[in-house]
Amino acid sequence: DAQSAAAVRAARLVGGGAVVVARHAVLRTTYEVSGEGFVQRVGRVPEGERLLREVSAANDEAARAVAAADASAGFDLLGGEGVLRCTLVRVSAERHLLLLNAHHVAFDGGSTGVLLGELGAAYRALSDGGSVEDASLAELPVQYVDYALWQRTDLASTLESQREYWCGQLREGLLPVLELPTDLPRPAAQTFTGATVSVSVSAETTAGLEAVARTHGCTLYQVVLGLWALLLCRHSGQDEVVIGSPYHGRDVAGTEALVGYFINMLALRIEVSRGGSVGELLRGAR
């Protein structure tokens, strides 16, 4: 019946989730404080509600309320809680909502595709009557802890040269403050309160931007970055601007298939010469 079918689907999620958590040690890592600072402990695959919590909701509105509450709930990292929280909301026998919430300490945007891809492959294999081995998930050559160890050892030898580079780019912290003519004054204390504004660009405009990128040997991202800097400088009356940009950080072999936090935020300082050409602007952005 429908109830039995729902239970089977939940069991498949549990089986697929257990495989993914077993593959990525960072998803079963907990954190403690010792005399030497923070310590990571890699544990076993959690079971029961620690792996997948199941709740019921009377309708879609109630399910959305559960999702909102789950998304806003914090993680007790030092209390033994893991970095991944999975909840299956049962709206009806035929309708379910799967909530996956991960802490940023061990999860970035690139991890989303890895997690959903592997979970989907394992779930499909179980749905087809096979086992999780039929998902044919490639063996992971490294774990996130290997990447962290590499950062502390091999990368340490190059940190000084990188520090000198960025101090030179940012002139040792003397960053220009963006003075836009906003309708409200800048608050005395920074709050980090913001919003997201979505902008749609037509296919025709995108094709034109891509043509500009090819002409000047740039990526599309570099072109948009340069134009954004130009727009900010025109509105602020400044000759340079600093734009924060995330870098994916997955340029070490094997990291593209890992769950983990690899993002590095960069402060990109771009000078916009008054009367300069588009080529000069894009060379600076590049």
Side-chain angles (χ1 to χ4, degrees):
D1 58 11
Q3 293 292 342
S4 298
V8 169
R9 287 194 291 270
R12 290 169 183 164
L13 278 176
V14 170
V19 169
V20 176
V21 174
R23 282 171 53 81
H24 299 275
V26 71
L27 293 178
R28 43 193 169 85
T29 295
T30 57
Y31 301 82
E32 303 172 7
V33 177
S34 71
E36 300 179 354
F38 290 102
V39 177
Q40 300 181 47
R41 305 288 186 192
V42 179
R44 295 176 295 180
V45 176
E47 299 177 349
E49 287 201 346
R50 292 196 61 196
L51 179 62
L52 180 69
R53 182 173 69 104
E54 296 186 50
V55 299
S56 297
N59 49 45
D60 287 349
E61 183 178 357
R64 285 193 291 269
V66 173
D70 192 51
S72 61
F75 286 81
D76 184 11
L77 292 182
L78 299 182
E81 184 180 0
V83 298
L84 179 64
R85 187 167 60 234
C86 307
T87 304
L88 184 64
V89 184
R90 185 182 298 106
V91 184
S92 68
E94 298 297 331
R95 182 169 172 77
H96 295 72
L97 179 66
L98 178 63
L99 308 177
L100 302 175
N101 280 299
H103 195 285
H104 232 339
V105 73
F107 203 91
D108 59 14
S111 301
T112 303
V114 175
L115 176 65
L116 294 181
E118 293 189 359
L119 180 60
Y123 184 85
R124 285 191 296 271
L126 292 171
S127 299
D128 292 339
S131 65
V132 291
E133 286 75 17
D134 296 323
S136 300
L137 298 176
E139 184 177 352
L140 298 177
V142 294
Q143 288 287 334
Y144 186 72
V145 66
D146 299 312
Y147 172 80
L149 182 61
W150 169 79
Q151 279 196 319
R152 287 190 172 226
T153 55
D154 295 359
L155 189 61
S157 60
T158 65
L159 285 180
E160 183 60 26
S161 62
Q162 292 187 14
R163 187 192 70 82
E164 291 178 357
Y165 169 81
W166 284 105
C167 284
Q169 290 292 314
L170 303 176
R171 297 175 192 170
E172 298 194 7
L174 300 178
L175 303 180
V177 177
L178 184 62
E179 298 292 352
L180 289 173
T182 56
D183 56 345
L184 295 173
R186 184 190 296 272
Q190 192 170 10
T191 63
F192 298 100
T193 300
T196 299
V197 178
S198 299
V199 178
S200 297
V201 180
S202 67
E204 181 181 4
T205 299
T206 301
L209 293 172
E210 290 173 338
V212 171
R214 288 192 296 271
T215 299
H216 294 276
C218 294
T219 63
L220 179 60
Y221 175 79
Q222 290 165 350
V223 172
V224 175
L225 180 67
L227 293 177
W228 180 236
L230 174 62
L231 180 67
L232 293 177
C233 285
R234 281 187 174 179
H235 280 292
S236 64
Q238 299 172 218
D239 295 325
E240 59 182 349
V241 64
V242 178
I243 299 175
S245 175
Y247 175 65
H248 64 82
R250 294 173 179 262
D251 44 12
V252 177
T255 56
E256 68 280 353
L258 286 181
V259 169
Y261 185 85
F262 297 90
I263 293 176
N264 185 21
M265 291 298 296
L266 303 179
L268 306 180
R269 189 172 196 154
I270 301 177
E271 296 185 13
V272 178
S273 175
R274 295 180 183 271
S277 65
V278 172
E280 291 172 337
L281 174 67
L282 296 184
R283 279 194 295 274
R286 184 178 58 200

